[in-house]
Amino acid sequence: MKLNLITFASSLATRESIFTDHCELLDTINEKFDVKYIFPEDLGNGLPQGATMVFVGSGGVEEMVKADIDQLPPYVVLIADGLKNSLAASLEILSWMRLNGRQGRVLHGPTDFIMHGIDDYTRAHGALECLNGMRVGVIGRPSGWLIASDVTYAAMRERWGIEMVDIPLDEVVKGYEAVGDDEVHDISDDFINRSIGVKEPSRDEVVKAMRLYRSVKGIVERYCLNAFTLNCFDLIPTTRTTGCVALALLNQEGIPAGCEGDEQTLLTMLAVQAATDEMTFMANPSKILDNAAHEMVFAHCTIAPAMTDRYIVRNHYESLSGVAVEGIFDPMDVTVVKCGGNDMGRYFISKAHLLQCTSNPNMCRTQLHLRLDEPLDYFLERSIGNHHVIVRGDHVARIEAVLHMLGATSTT
């Protein structure tokens, strides 16, 4: 991978001495990355493409960085090995940046720790390049109860480089009516046969859910969408089915698909997928079981079957109609994350351990009993909306790197 290192050092240092004094770290970086070193006098030429970070080679560079701040990346990663007063200088620079509205962080510690951080931020740069130019659909207006979950489209275009596209819900209904039962028999049987059981829905209900899936997939293709959120509840009276299966299967196909027209959670799903290449689960924080132990249940009625260890075909919890997915997992580590605000400027993230899947009849169908690393007072005092996003595995560092570079700051 390519890496640009903007290198600052005191006027007392020569270029040769920079590489000699910091050889342990710089040699390790050079072994893993194709490094282009950029010095302050080169900054007037603009930055080359690729991930760009700042290497602090000594103390006494604070004013140099301050003078060149507008030519540095929007999010400034300061790498310091601690030699030649580089850590002290980095902390002063970081403090000045925060006082002046610039975001960044210092990468310092053992060489392995620094290398992990460089890797995370290099990959985050790749994720941002992936997000830039994406088209995100809002199919139907957000559900009425989501009073804190919309975004400002102009801010998303400026900060994330994505285009938000409004699409009338009527297009889904027309597409649904145009799909015949015979067109979805095979995928209906496959969905049933891959499950470990069917509880409430009849096969005819599964066929209707698959017709809706075909309709929504057609809209994704027609509008060239990279992700979308669907006001699924408003479809129930007209189609007499639910969108749970459509969202589940499109998530499985690599198209982040969110429920209820929730724009902030969909964008979180999109960022997490870009950061991890993993499918995500959008869920309600449904019940705190033990505040002291940080245990709570997250639940929703749709999840990509391929994300689960096994699944049961169910009906939709709130409406007791249509088709939903009860995903079942073996115990494992997961990451819980939410980015939100009108400009997606705040985030929460925590590693968690899945203890068990529950089957409470008074909650949505897929239910994950988690023990979070972070205290649960966030949910009761500073929660970013309702829905949160869960991804398999511990991806805290990688996701945080992406959210930092998108301009978001932690709630903790």
Side-chain angles (χ1 to χ4, degrees):
M1 292 184 287
K2 292 185 177 181
L3 173 64
N4 305 314
L5 277 186
I6 305 173
T7 305
F8 289 91
S10 161
S11 59
L12 300 176
T14 65
R15 291 192 181 180
E16 291 76 15
S17 68
I18 294 171
F19 293 103
T20 301
D21 293 340
H22 304 281
C23 61
E24 179 183 351
L25 177 58
L26 292 181
D27 287 351
T28 305
I29 294 174
N30 288 329
E31 287 174 5
K32 182 164 185 179
F33 296 95
D34 178 10
V35 183
K36 179 179 178 60
Y37 290 93
I38 302 167
F39 294 90
E41 57 266 30
D42 303 322
L43 287 174
N45 301 323
L47 297 177
Q49 291 186 334
T52 301
M53 302 176 197
V54 173
F55 181 75
V56 181
S58 72
V61 301
E62 294 86 342
E63 288 186 313
M64 298 181 203
V65 176
K66 178 180 175 180
D68 289 328
I69 193 67
D70 290 337
Q71 300 184 72
L72 303 184
Y75 187 86
V76 181
V77 178
L78 300 160
I79 301 171
D81 61 6
L83 302 178
K84 299 293 183 178
N85 285 326
S86 58
L87 177 59
S90 298
L91 298 180
E92 186 74 11
I93 292 165
L94 181 64
S95 179
W96 176 83
M97 287 197 308
R98 288 182 172 169
L99 288 171
N100 288 273
R102 289 297 295 266
Q103 293 192 46
R105 69 154 295 164
V106 175
L107 280 181
H108 171 74
T111 299
D112 286 350
F113 178 84
I114 295 175
M115 292 303 297
H116 279 302
I118 294 173
D119 187 56
D120 287 336
Y121 279 94
T122 302
R123 292 177 182 274
H125 181 273
L128 264 62
E129 287 186 330
C130 178
L131 290 173
N132 188 46
M134 282 190 171
R135 289 168 56 84
V136 175
V138 180
I139 306 177
R141 298 187 62 81
S143 296
W145 52 86
L146 295 178
I147 60 176
S149 298
D150 59 332
V151 297
T152 303
Y153 286 13
M156 291 302 93
R157 187 163 49 249
E158 178 181 349
R159 296 182 67 164
W160 287 41
I162 65 173
E163 181 182 0
M164 304 289 292
V165 182
D166 287 320
I167 301 167
L169 201 61
D170 288 349
E171 292 198 27
V172 179
V173 178
K174 290 177 183 177
Y176 170 79
E177 293 172 346
V179 177
D181 290 357
D182 58 330
E183 297 179 56
V184 295
H185 279 314
D186 289 347
I187 58 174
S188 299
D189 289 339
D190 184 66
F191 177 71
I192 292 170
N193 293 337
R194 288 178 182 272
S195 74
I196 61 170
V198 179
K199 286 197 174 178
E200 301 88 0
S202 65
R203 186 179 182 282
D204 288 343
E205 288 295 334
V206 175
V207 168
K208 288 197 293 185
M210 290 298 177
R211 288 172 55 199
L212 188 64
Y213 155 70
R214 279 286 176 85
S215 173
V216 176
K217 185 172 183 177
I219 288 173
V220 169
E221 293 170 349
R222 188 158 61 252
Y223 283 90
C224 301
L225 301 179
N226 301 102
F228 71 93
T229 183
L230 173 69
N231 185 338
C232 35
F233 276 87
D234 283 2
L235 284 171
I236 296 173
T238 51
T239 63
R240 298 174 303 284
T241 190
T242 57
C244 306
V245 170
L247 301 180
L249 295 183
L250 285 161
N251 270 311
Q252 184 166 285
E253 293 169 17
I255 304 294
C259 313
E260 303 168 36
D262 185 335
E263 297 164 2
Q264 294 179 16
T265 306
L266 171 67
L267 292 172
T268 304
M269 296 169 74
L270 184 60
V272 171
Q273 181 170 299
T276 66
D277 292 324
E278 297 282 349
M279 292 172 281
T280 59
F281 173 43
M282 168 182 173
N284 297 322
S286 297
K287 185 176 179 61
I288 291 177
L289 302 175
D290 188 328
N291 295 67
H294 309 170
E295 293 183 20
M296 64 186 299
V297 175
F298 291 80
H300 232 211
C301 279
T302 179
I303 189 168
M307 186 179 172
T308 71
D309 292 315
R310 49 205 174 275
Y311 68 93
I312 301 170
V313 180
R314 301 292 306 272
N315 64 2
H316 178 242
Y317 163 63
E318 285 92 345
S319 66
L320 299 179
S321 65
V323 183
V325 182
E326 180 179 345
I328 302 171
F329 297 82
D330 298 325
M332 62 177 172
D333 288 338
V334 300
T335 305
V336 180
V337 60
K338 176 64 178 289
C339 188
N342 295 131
D343 61 354
M344 297 292 284
R346 299 169 59 232
Y347 75 87
F348 166 83
I349 192 165
S350 178
K351 179 184 172 184
H353 187 70
L354 171 62
L355 300 173
Q356 63 178 335
C357 289
T358 59
S359 190
N360 188 321
N362 294 312
M363 292 183 189
C364 294
R365 301 309 187 191
T366 296
Q367 302 171 17
L368 306 185
H369 174 182
L370 305 182
R371 179 187 293 129
L372 280 70
D373 283 6
E374 296 294 326
L376 303 187
D377 57 358
Y378 152 77
F379 291 96
L380 304 178
E381 298 174 10
R382 304 179 302 280
S383 184
I384 305 171
N386 165 21
H387 300 116
H388 284 62
V389 174
I390 298 171
V391 60
R392 295 177 70 124
D394 176 7
H395 302 285
V396 170
R398 189 158 292 177
I399 295 169
E400 275 201 303
V402 171
L403 297 180
H404 287 164
M405 294 182 72
L406 287 169
T409 56
S410 173
T411 59
T412 57

